[in-house]
Amino acid sequence: MSLYSRATLLCLAAFGASAMATTSGPQQAQVSLHKTYINDAILPPSITWHGASEALLRPADDPWATPFEQGGLKSSPSYDDTLAWLDKLLATSDKLHKVSLGKSPQGRDIWMIVASQEGAETPEALQDNGKPTLLVQAGIHSGEIDGKDAGMMLLRDMVMGDKQGLLKGANLLFVPIFSVDAHERSGQFNRVNQRGPVEMGWRTTANNLNLNRDYAKADTLEMQHMLAAINRWQPDLYIDVHVTDGIDYQYDVTFGYNLAQGLSPASYRWLNDKYRPKIEQALSAQGHVPGPLVFAIDNRDLSQGLSLWNASPRYSNGYGDARHLPTILIENHSLKPFKQRVLGTYVMLASTLEVLGEQGTALRSAIKQDSYRYSDRITLTWESETQPKGWDFKGIDYRLEQSPISGETVVRWTGEPKLYENLPVKGKTRADIKVNRPKAYYIPPQWQAVIERLSIHGIRMTRLEHAKTLTLTQYRFGEPAFDAKDYEGRQRVSAPVSSHKAKVELPAGTVKISTQQPLGDLAILLLEPQSPDSLLQWGFFNPIFTRTEYIEHYAVEPLAAKMLKEDAALATEFEAALKDPEFAKDAEARLRWFYERSSYFDEQYRVYPVLRD
């Protein structure tokens, strides 16, 4: 039968009631020791896993077992318990220090552990040791918390275990919980598609915003703290740890980064040629199954192929590409048990530090090449195309059944491994809209929110001390299209664009942003209006689409007659416009036509205030 039996559902309900009765206080460990998770009965079959990385675990009664190890490998500690354990560890070693990146909206510190052989406590001290630095961020989606527990184990083993040599070649910055408020909105029913931990945090912040859609617009306090930390501590490699949704497959650790077509091609080559082979080898040796980021084009028909993701700057890895900070997005597989995912993350983080110690100089050289590349043409949008090579995909077999509940065809994963050979791969890798690189942008001083946001990103700028007249390129917009629904707290907008040269007087206080700087490419993607993650499309400039002055019909009628009498060319143009039947029968449009060509019309209406040099 295609649906779960009534008996199964009753068992699940009974298990849920039992688990709920034991989720607080000193009985927490009991929940963690259950053989299954509360949602196990409604998930596809779990594949039994044992790997060499299990040797990394310490017994629950070991004095330095992490809360994850103490809790039967199924639970993850609260914010307070995480910090209590880390504080205890920090007290044993002068190689570890704790710094706050800032407070969350609910008043919690976002802590970062600084780990170095020399015991650096400041960005300056860390940079003085000359070693490459890895920034690992866990819990940007706090229900996807594998990185926190893996990082706690790794920190312990770096100061009192067999991983102490890792700090000889590299530094580690570790943020155990990024979305700290959402982490404390914890419960057993937060992520139905994920096998553990027993209690998971929430996906979005206390303001219901998704941090991994916020890199470009940087609306959240949490993201502003993170960007400030990146600017201050200047990591050479950035890892963002997630747990994926979607289809079933054999891989337990998948990861990806910017593409060859992006803004950081040298970093891509380092990641693809030097980094990935070593990491995949290390994971495989420890019994894990690594793979590229996997997204099916059609979850119900794998023969349609796989999607190659070209992330935009709203996401961590797309943002890293734009600012030339090599960024790795880890997506552990949600249907794999928590223990397996945590251990896979541990192996990947430890191996990353090894590679960074060996290949850090080459990575820094790649970053420098990308940062000072200054391409003459910048791609703003991409079109999808079939890639030259397909992928052999280590999947799970499935069958399709008709659901009497939804009435649609549904997938039933069988738990049986299956190799899907040479699946087609499609991805947005064909350049679409491109622009020439301007020398600089000018932003009038009244657009303070925009200027402040660019400053948060670390983009360098100067201010005009005196008014200045320049001939610059200016964009003008056609009819705007506002999204029908709010997205991430904003009303997004796009509009047709035309450009023209304009002689403008820039007031004192106008900001000049040169694109000849390491973050110049990021500035272009944020300021070019056709860029999907431009500040314009995120709604920062929406007031320019509001008309504030009008003309009454009794005034525009005689004005139009006067204009037609005095301007023969205008009269000819109006006659041509009347050939459009829709225009001809629209009295409002006809009067507006004259108003827009009169001296009374607002010259700033639908004009982009950011100018290009």
Side-chain angles (χ1 to χ4, degrees):
M1 187 175 177
S2 64
L3 297 175
Y4 297 104
S5 68
R6 183 172 182 273
T8 301
L9 293 173
L10 288 172
C11 288
L12 175 61
F15 176 78
S18 171
M20 287 175 66
T22 58
T23 55
S24 61
Q27 294 179 315
Q28 178 66 40
Q30 283 183 283
V31 178
S32 305
L33 295 173
H34 276 303
K35 292 182 179 180
T36 187
Y37 298 102
I38 193 168
N39 54 336
D40 230 14
I42 60 174
L43 294 180
S46 178
I47 300 173
T48 301
W49 176 85
H50 290 289
S53 61
E54 290 176 300
L56 298 166
L57 296 166
R58 294 202 180 191
D61 59 356
D62 185 289
W64 284 104
T66 64
F68 159 71
E69 292 163 318
Q70 295 169 23
L73 314 178
K74 291 181 181 291
S75 66
S76 187
S78 68
Y79 174 89
D80 288 339
D81 289 345
T82 298
L83 271 299
W85 189 91
L86 285 170
D87 285 341
K88 183 176 132 182
L89 180 68
L90 265 63
T92 70
S93 174
D94 58 5
K95 296 178 182 178
L96 305 181
H97 295 280
K98 186 177 74 171
V99 298
S100 173
L101 305 186
K103 297 280 188 183
S104 72
Q106 292 184 341
R108 295 180 179 90
D109 282 291
I110 302 172
W111 291 107
M112 182 173 74
I113 308 301
V114 182
S116 69
Q117 188 73 22
E118 296 77 16
E121 296 184 62
T122 65
E124 295 75 19
L126 197 72
Q127 289 156 18
D128 283 348
N129 70 32
K131 299 172 188 176
T133 296
L134 169 66
L135 170 58
V136 175
Q137 164 189 289
I140 187 171
H141 296 153
S142 63
E144 306 166 26
I145 202 60
D146 305 5
K148 176 187 73 176
D149 298 281
M152 292 167 73
M153 290 175 59
L154 180 59
L155 283 176
R156 172 197 64 202
D157 295 343
M158 287 167 65
V159 297
M160 60 177 60
D162 61 358
K163 296 292 186 290
Q164 296 184 50
L166 293 177
L167 290 179
K168 293 180 180 178
N171 308 309
L172 173 64
L173 303 173
F174 174 56
V175 179
I177 311 167
F178 183 14
S179 189
V180 289
D181 295 340
H183 185 276
E184 295 309 280
R185 186 182 170 183
S186 181
Q188 298 175 75
F189 299 99
N190 281 358
R191 281 181 64 80
V192 66
N193 54 287
Q194 183 174 306
R195 278 196 168 92
V198 170
E199 292 198 351
M200 293 173 265
W202 198 250
R203 181 176 177 82
T204 51
T205 69
N207 300 107
N208 205 34
L209 295 174
N210 188 333
L211 290 177
N212 203 29
R213 306 293 184 273
D214 195 42
Y215 279 88
K217 61 184 176 67
D219 279 336
T220 62
L221 193 57
E222 294 95 332
M223 185 57 69
Q224 292 174 13
H225 292 325
M226 181 58 70
L227 297 182
I230 290 172
N231 288 323
R232 288 191 67 230
W233 292 86
Q234 291 293 308
D236 301 287
L237 188 61
Y238 186 19
I239 289 184
D240 181 20
V241 186
H242 290 248
V243 181
T244 191
D245 306 324
I247 62 176
D248 200 359
Y249 44 74
Q250 298 171 50
Y251 309 105
D252 55 355
V253 181
T254 68
F255 62 98
Y257 31 80
N258 68 292
L259 302 184
Q261 294 84 354
L263 293 165
S264 301
S267 295
Y268 167 82
R269 289 191 294 272
W270 185 92
L271 288 163
N272 216 49
D273 300 342
K274 297 183 182 297
Y275 179 80
R276 180 176 283 279
K278 294 263 190 179
I279 300 303
E280 290 190 337
Q281 182 182 25
L283 284 164
S284 299
Q286 291 294 314
H288 296 276
V289 185
L293 286 179
V294 174
F295 304 99
I297 292 173
D298 183 343
N299 286 0
R300 292 178 290 188
D301 184 5
L302 287 183
S303 69
Q304 295 296 311
L306 303 171
S307 174
L308 181 67
W309 189 33
N310 190 353
S312 74
R314 73 186 64 175
Y315 304 99
S316 60
N317 49 325
Y319 181 75
D321 180 47
R323 72 171 290 147
H324 314 303
L325 168 57
T327 301
I328 298 160
L329 176 68
I330 296 178
E331 288 280 7
N332 293 328
H333 189 215
S334 62
L335 295 176
K336 302 297 184 288
F338 187 48
K339 177 188 79 170
Q340 182 178 356
R341 304 195 321 258
V342 169
L343 291 177
T345 307
Y346 179 112
V347 172
M348 185 161 179
L349 298 184
S351 302
T352 297
L353 286 168
E354 288 181 1
V355 174
L356 204 53
E358 297 166 359
Q359 299 288 343
T361 301
L363 175 60
R364 285 178 162 175
S365 175
I367 293 170
K368 192 170 184 179
Q369 289 179 54
D370 292 330
S371 298
Y372 296 95
R373 186 163 163 253
Y374 303 151
S375 298
D376 292 334
R377 298 275 283 168
I378 299 293
T379 301
L380 303 180
T381 63
W382 300 86
E383 292 182 339
S384 184
E385 61 182 349
T386 300
Q387 303 302 300
K389 292 183 179 180
W391 289 352
D392 288 341
F393 173 60
K394 295 178 181 178
I396 297 293
D397 201 3
Y398 65 95
R399 62 182 185 273
L400 298 176
E401 299 176 356
Q402 195 71 19
S403 167
I405 293 177
S406 66
E408 69 172 356
T409 302
V410 295
V411 172
R412 302 299 185 200
W413 304 101
T414 67
E416 297 297 323
K418 178 179 178 179
L419 179 65
Y420 297 82
E421 295 187 67
N422 197 33
L423 287 180
V425 180
K426 296 180 181 179
K428 291 186 175 181
T429 53
R430 184 169 63 240
D432 182 20
I433 299 175
K434 288 185 170 185
V435 294
N436 291 328
R437 183 185 205 91
K439 292 180 181 178
Y441 293 97
Y442 290 88
I443 307 175
Q446 63 267 29
W447 295 97
Q448 284 298 310
V450 172
I451 294 167
E452 178 192 10
R453 206 55 53 96
L454 296 170
S455 178
I456 286 170
H457 283 288
I459 294 169
R460 296 200 298 261
M461 58 188 76
T462 57
R463 289 184 184 268
L464 300 185
E465 295 185 7
H466 306 284
K468 191 173 187 179
T469 300
L470 294 173
T471 299
L472 302 169
T473 299
Q474 190 168 49
Y475 288 124
R476 187 179 293 276
F477 299 110
E479 188 68 30
F482 292 93
D483 283 2
K485 294 182 180 180
D486 171 277
Y487 179 67
E488 290 298 316
R490 287 190 167 270
Q491 186 180 26
R492 287 180 55 82
V493 63
S494 61
V497 176
S498 62
S499 64
H500 64 280
K501 291 286 186 181
K503 188 174 183 179
V504 294
E505 183 176 345
L506 302 172
T510 295
V511 164
K512 177 183 179 182
I513 297 173
S514 170
T515 65
Q516 303 289 303
Q517 59 169 300
L519 297 185
D521 290 345
L522 176 61
I524 292 171
L525 293 188
L526 293 176
L527 292 175
E528 284 296 326
Q530 295 178 92
S531 168
D533 274 324
S534 65
L535 297 182
L536 178 124
Q537 292 203 23
W538 276 115
F540 282 76
F541 293 96
N542 280 4
I544 69 173
F545 298 110
T546 301
R547 281 184 62 189
T548 57
E549 289 287 357
Y550 301 87
I551 188 168
E552 300 294 346
H553 289 189
Y554 63 76
V556 75
E557 288 278 0
L559 174 66
K562 183 174 184 290
M563 292 169 68
L564 289 172
K565 182 179 180 181
E566 295 176 351
D567 191 337
L570 183 72
T572 302
E573 186 183 352
F574 182 57
E575 288 298 323
L578 289 174
K579 293 178 181 178
D580 178 352
E582 291 298 319
F583 175 77
K585 68 181 182 181
D586 188 339
E588 285 287 343
R590 290 169 66 158
L591 293 175
R592 187 169 59 249
W593 191 92
F594 285 97
Y595 174 48
E596 289 175 354
R597 286 157 178 77
S598 76
S599 300
Y600 295 96
F601 187 69
D602 179 7
E603 292 298 328
Q604 296 304 312
Y605 178 52
R606 295 185 186 173
V607 172
Y608 192 39
V610 179
L611 298 110
R612 300 171 102 246
D613 182 3

